[in-house]
Amino acid sequence: MNQTTVDARAPKQDRSRATRQRLIEAAITCLARDGWSRSTVSVIAAEAGISRGATQHHFPTREDLILAALERMFELRIAQVDVGEVQGRPEGRARTVVLRLVEYYTGDLFKAALQVWTAAAADETLRERIVPLERKFAREVHAAAVRLLGADDSDPATHRMIQATLDMARGFGLADVLSDDSRRRRHVAEAWADQLAGVIAQAGEARSAEG
Amino acid sequence: MNQTTVDARAPKQDRSRATRQRLIEAAITCLARDGWSRSTVSVIAAEAGISRGATQHHFPTREDLILAALERMFELRIAQVDVGEVQGRPEGRARTVVLRLVEYYTGDLFKAALQVWTAAAADETLRERIVPLERKFAREVHAAAVRLLGADDSDPATHRMIQATLDMARGFGLADVLSDDSRRRRHVAEAWADQLAGVIAQAGEARSAEG
């Protein structure tokens, strides 16, 4: 491959990547704002300012586009959680991590994902494609929570409490869909974080006593 | 009013009530099975075997029908929780109540409601009608949880833990939408119930010490 070929190809690849990216971002915007039924491929392509032909070149079906959007939503959401290590005393640390996990399940990215999950609840084909992705996402966010909390996930009580934390955060997200629930949520999340810190500390003490 | 009028009217009222009820039940079935976009008034009327005209007589708009269905879903869901008093020692009692609350947020009734909430997330008109209903439902299920747990809701820690329990149960519901999550959920819910029992017991001890 000579230099000319590389130069000619690189900008084309960049443009292609940028087009793909714009479609994915437009899909997220449309889902969060307009909901599932109105987020058709035509509407998303128009939102992105990309022709229908170019859109179909990148994403042959609506599902292909939605799945790419779902992966991007996850990347952005996990990046909000995994924004840096959390230091400090156990209780403060648990509160910081729980509040980050709550953010993971709120906001426009969660709302866009909720549109896809709910559609998939009544659509077996879509569901079958989404389930393996969601399993992977669930493992990754659990692993991030364990690491940020500095917790011992091999302790069954700790493992379950971290799972419960993620379930609670998911529940907050759903409560926030209809009206702003942030004040109530904060108090509940902090009370919960203190419980979590207690369980993690207990497991730590049991380990020290054994060791 | 003479006896003849009453006799003539009563069966008509019964028929009318039965028609209304059939439409509401068909709406719940359609939402859970087919999702929001496919649950149009025509589809629901066909599912119920009721003419389009009679349907419009009972429910002038799709929203009217959906709201009536949402109220019915709540009645059925709360009836599952409030199925009888829970006796026994605090830990066992908390487990029983938490498992009932988890049921409140799973199953087809939850899935049907999820379709409505998610549509309302992207539809302000629908949202404005649903929010006051959902506030009322939230107060009622919280009150039922307090009563069944025999907890002192005036204790702030207890109040928040009961809120967290409902949030966690809602989160379980959403996790269960894509694939059967019942095994994982049961372990997490039981671990969580033990924490809740601890907080309730602590509040009780503090009250006894004061009294």
Side-chain angles (χ1 to χ4, degrees):
Chain A
M1 201 188 291
N2 64 39
Q3 194 56 40
T4 322
T5 324
V6 171
D7 281 347
R9 194 190 282 174
K12 199 180 159 196
Q13 282 182 343
D14 285 350
R15 274 203 310 279
S16 176
R17 206 176 297 125
T19 301
R20 198 184 146 82
Q21 208 51 41
R22 263 164 68 187
L23 284 164
I24 288 173
E25 269 153 34
I28 299 174
T29 304
C30 290
L31 284 167
R33 187 188 60 203
D34 308 326
W36 174 260
S37 3
R38 279 176 284 168
S39 297
T40 60
V41 173
S42 321
V43 167
I44 295 168
E47 171 79 23
I50 307 287
S51 76
R52 193 63 202 266
T55 301
Q56 258 182 339
H57 168 75
H58 285 280
F59 301 105
T61 69
R62 185 187 186 202
E63 271 177 23
D64 295 327
L65 174 51
I66 295 293
L67 259 82
L70 203 59
E71 289 206 68
R72 182 74 186 131
M73 288 175 225
F74 173 73
E75 284 168 14
L76 292 168
R77 290 167 64 215
I78 194 87
Q80 287 173 345
V81 174
D82 219 350
V83 77
E85 296 309 309
V86 182
Q87 305 298 338
R89 298 176 59 80
E91 213 163 271
R93 188 171 179 176
R95 285 193 174 199
T96 304
V97 177
V98 168
L99 293 177
R100 281 200 208 162
L101 293 172
V102 167
E103 270 177 60
Y104 175 75
Y105 283 110
T106 46
D108 278 358
L109 291 166
F110 172 79
K111 281 182 186 147
L114 178 66
Q115 294 291 335
V116 181
W117 298 327
T118 305
D123 180 337
E124 210 182 313
T125 320
L126 185 60
R127 193 161 63 240
E128 275 173 8
R129 288 189 67 181
I130 286 179
V131 166
L133 266 185
E134 291 294 336
R135 292 232 168 93
K136 183 174 76 102
F137 299 161
R139 279 194 301 271
E140 284 184 36
V141 73
H142 186 98
V146 169
R147 188 166 44 70
L148 293 169
L149 287 163
D152 174 14
D153 201 44
S154 70
D155 171 58
T158 302
H159 176 81
R160 281 170 193 165
M161 285 295 271
I162 293 174
Q163 290 268 301
T165 304
L166 290 161
D167 287 306
M168 185 195 60
R170 193 186 308 107
F172 282 144
L174 190 50
D176 200 55
V177 155
L178 297 180
S179 55
D180 178 7
D181 186 44
S182 50
R183 262 194 66 189
R184 181 193 75 88
R185 184 169 73 219
R186 197 185 170 96
H187 291 301
V188 177
E190 285 178 354
W192 168 248
D194 297 348
Q195 293 290 318
L196 177 63
V199 171
I200 293 172
Q202 234 173 6
E205 281 160 25
R207 260 202 324 281
S208 305
E210 276 171 23
Chain B
M1 201 188 288
N2 63 41
Q3 194 54 42
T4 322
T5 323
V6 171
D7 282 346
R9 196 188 279 174
K12 200 180 160 195
Q13 282 182 343
D14 285 350
R15 274 204 310 280
S16 176
R17 206 177 296 126
T19 302
R20 199 184 145 83
Q21 208 50 43
R22 261 165 70 189
L23 284 164
I24 288 173
E25 269 153 35
I28 299 175
T29 304
C30 289
L31 283 167
R33 187 189 57 203
D34 309 327
W36 175 260
S37 5
R38 276 175 287 166
S39 298
T40 60
V41 174
S42 322
V43 167
I44 295 167
E47 171 79 22
I50 307 286
S51 76
R52 193 61 202 266
T55 302
Q56 257 181 340
H57 169 74
H58 284 279
F59 301 104
T61 68
R62 184 187 187 202
E63 272 177 23
D64 296 326
L65 174 51
I66 295 292
L67 258 83
L70 204 58
E71 289 204 70
R72 183 74 187 132
M73 289 173 224
F74 173 73
E75 285 166 15
L76 293 167
R77 289 166 64 214
I78 194 88
Q80 288 173 345
V81 173
D82 219 350
V83 79
E85 297 310 309
V86 183
Q87 306 297 338
R89 298 176 60 80
E91 214 164 90
R93 188 171 180 175
R95 284 191 175 198
T96 305
V97 178
V98 168
L99 292 177
R100 280 202 209 162
L101 292 171
V102 167
E103 269 176 59
Y104 175 77
Y105 283 110
T106 46
D108 278 358
L109 291 166
F110 172 80
K111 280 183 187 147
L114 179 66
Q115 293 292 334
V116 182
W117 299 327
T118 304
D123 181 337
E124 212 182 312
T125 319
L126 184 61
R127 194 161 63 240
E128 276 172 9
R129 289 189 66 180
I130 286 178
V131 165
L133 267 185
E134 290 294 337
R135 290 230 169 94
K136 183 173 76 98
F137 300 160
R139 278 193 303 270
E140 285 183 37
V141 73
H142 186 97
V146 169
R147 189 165 46 70
L148 293 169
L149 286 163
D152 173 15
D153 200 44
S154 69
D155 171 59
T158 302
H159 177 81
R160 281 170 193 164
M161 284 296 271
I162 293 174
Q163 289 269 300
T165 304
L166 289 162
D167 287 306
M168 185 195 61
R170 194 187 306 107
F172 282 144
L174 191 49
D176 199 56
V177 154
L178 297 180
S179 54
D180 179 7
D181 187 42
S182 51
R183 262 195 65 189
R184 181 194 73 89
R185 186 168 70 217
R186 197 183 170 97
H187 292 301
V188 176
E190 285 178 352
W192 167 246
D194 297 348
Q195 291 291 317
L196 177 63
V199 170
I200 293 173
Q202 232 173 10
E205 282 161 23
R207 259 203 323 283
S208 307
E210 275 170 23

